[in-house]
Amino acid sequence: MALPKVYVTRRIQETGLGLLPGRVEFRVWEKDYPIERERLLEEAAHVDGLITMLSDRVDEELLDRCPRLKVVSNYAVGFDNIDVPAATRRGILVTNTPDVLTEATADLAFTLMLAAARRVVESSAFLRSGEWTTWKPDLLLGADVFGATLGVAGMGKIGQAVARRAKGFSMNILYYNGTPRPDMELQLGARKVPFDELLRESDFITIHLPLTEGTRGLFDERALRAMKRTAILVNTARGPIVDQDALYTACSEHWIGGAGLDVFEKEPVPLDEPLLTLPNVTTLPHIGSATVRSREGMARKAAENLLAGLEGKRPPDLVNPEVLTQ
Ligand code: DGY
């Protein structure tokens, strides 16, 4: 019997690719840049399964051209690059890679919080530029993280992992979330608050929400103006949750203390993005899950989800279970 055909839009770790031989016939986009749209449309048209990256748009146009497609396995926990309702209408399974990147992403959110608070990148540049001529009492003063109030926007797995770290820094934890998290309240003393209270009371806000029509632009001018003048906003979730132009004004005019960003409205962020000129904004190139262990786990999950779907089993990380009952 012919093996199912699969296209993988980037070379992922062997922990995943190594599971494919003998079970599917597969090809990989080998270039060091994302597959061009037209090429993706051509490749996808002939396959039963896709392993996609967050930089690949899987929309109606693509799905319409893929009569054989059964599974789209996204190599990411976020799946805002996929039109899930459109896939569901066509009976196509969509999967993601949760859990394996939770701790790495929480580590990076905490790193950004500390780096922004203690002006780490700015201080390093200061030293290397030769400006460090003396020790002095007011040199590069930052904000205290220990004992401060942390606002967690989105208390899912990653938000909870950040909150656990914050407990070790004796932080007072507030959270904004659709549903209460009694375990976090019990274990960490976290307190669920309305969005505006989170904005008003937090010294640091860390975003761990999915990008949806409800969260797009959630941190807009109004929200940023409501934050403390010293507060630091950290985003390791998705760029469009924050209005980037408003954030530039907020940081340059000191409505807030600064920001730590791993994600942007457009990625890679254009080098003429005004935020990149601000010393109180720490920026990283979307590396939240970029550890060896996390990426190996993501590759393994992406392959396991794909194979399960193609072999008629329920994929472990199915995003649209309705497909199985419709
Ligand atoms: C995700 O998984 O959604 C991250 O943004 C990349 O790991």
Side-chain angles (χ1 to χ4, degrees), residues 54 75-79 97 101 105 236-238 263 286 288-289 295 298:
L54 51 83
Y75 173 88
V77 66
F79 46 85
T97 61
L101 46 67
T105 308
T236 53
R238 286 293 182 267
V263 289
H286 203 148
S289 65
R295 290 288 160 85
M298 289 163 70

Side-chain angles (χ1 to χ4, degrees), residues 296-319:
E296 287 182 350
M298 289 163 70
R300 181 176 36 75
K301 269 190 178 271
E304 284 172 354
N305 284 319
L306 173 94
L307 292 170
L310 292 177
E311 291 169 359
K313 299 178 203 128
R314 185 191 172 102
D317 307 300
L318 184 57
V319 163

Side-chain angles (χ1 to χ4, degrees), residues 46 91 130 140 184 265 297 324:
H46 312 289
L140 289 162
M184 289 289 105
E265 278 177 0
L324 299 176

Side-chain angles (χ1 to χ4, degrees), residues 14-292:
E14 272 307 304
T15 47
L17 279 187
L19 302 177
L20 304 183
R23 294 169 77 179
V24 297
E25 196 184 296
F26 69 102
R27 296 191 329 118
V28 180
W29 175 253
E30 294 286 0
K31 301 278 172 25
D32 199 23
Y33 51 83
I35 185 167
E36 293 95 1
R37 177 72 179 168
E38 272 313 308
R39 184 71 188 271
L40 175 61
L41 294 177
E42 279 165 32
E43 296 287 358
H46 312 289
V47 297
D48 306 284
L50 279 173
I51 294 184
T52 50
M53 308 296 117
L54 51 83
S55 45
D56 304 318
R57 192 160 34 88
V58 179
D59 55 8
E60 296 262 10
E61 183 196 22
L62 183 141
L63 297 171
D64 276 344
R65 298 220 205 161
C66 304
R68 305 169 53 143
L69 195 60
K70 293 179 192 64
V71 189
V72 178
S73 170
N74 213 34
Y75 173 88
V77 66
F79 46 85
D80 46 280
N81 57 311
I82 302 175
D83 185 340
V84 177
T88 306
R89 282 196 296 279
R90 291 164 174 81
I92 297 169
L93 304 167
V94 177
T95 66
N96 68 341
T97 61
D99 306 325
V100 288
L101 46 67
T102 299
E103 302 301 341
T105 308
D107 281 349
L108 195 85
F110 224 85
T111 302
L112 272 174
M113 203 158 88
L114 289 166
R118 297 305 304 273
R119 304 170 65 179
V120 169
V121 175
E122 189 188 347
S123 297
S124 176
F126 172 86
L127 178 157
R128 289 175 184 214
S129 71
E131 287 169 86
W132 186 25
T133 53
T134 180
W135 186 94
K136 54 178 182 166
D138 62 349
L139 180 64
L140 289 162
L141 301 188
D144 283 292
V145 175
F146 188 89
T149 294
L150 174 66
V152 182
M155 196 56 122
K157 289 175 185 167
I158 301 174
Q160 292 176 34
V162 174
R164 279 196 299 277
R165 283 157 179 74
K167 190 67 186 165
F169 279 67
S170 284
M171 296 181 90
N172 169 35
I173 301 162
L174 306 177
Y175 71 99
Y176 164 69
N177 201 58
T179 49
R181 298 281 184 213
D183 45 341
M184 289 289 105
E185 298 183 11
L186 212 66
Q187 289 166 28
L188 308 180
R191 191 160 62 84
K192 184 173 184 298
V193 293
F195 187 55
D196 281 3
E197 190 173 336
L198 189 95
L199 297 171
R200 238 184 6 252
E201 300 299 329
S202 302
D203 298 308
F204 296 87
I205 294 182
T206 184
I207 304 176
H208 303 289
L209 294 159
L211 174 62
T212 63
E213 280 325 301
T215 62
R216 187 179 293 277
L218 182 65
F219 286 83
D220 57 5
E221 178 177 338
R222 186 203 72 85
L224 294 165
R225 281 192 186 278
M227 289 171 63
K228 289 187 185 177
R229 287 187 74 83
T230 50
I232 288 172
L233 181 65
V234 170
N235 190 6
T236 53
R238 286 293 182 267
I241 297 172
V242 178
D243 177 336
Q244 216 161 276
D245 292 340
L247 182 64
Y248 171 76
T249 315
C251 291
S252 57
E253 294 184 0
H254 302 284
W255 311 346
I256 68 172
L261 306 175
D262 185 42
V263 289
F264 299 86
E265 278 177 0
K266 183 172 181 326
E267 295 180 5
V269 63
L271 285 181
D272 61 359
E273 163 56 49
L275 274 171
L276 302 186
T277 64
L278 297 178
N280 58 347
V281 178
T282 305
T283 49
L284 296 174
H286 203 148
I287 55 167
S289 65
T291 68
V292 173

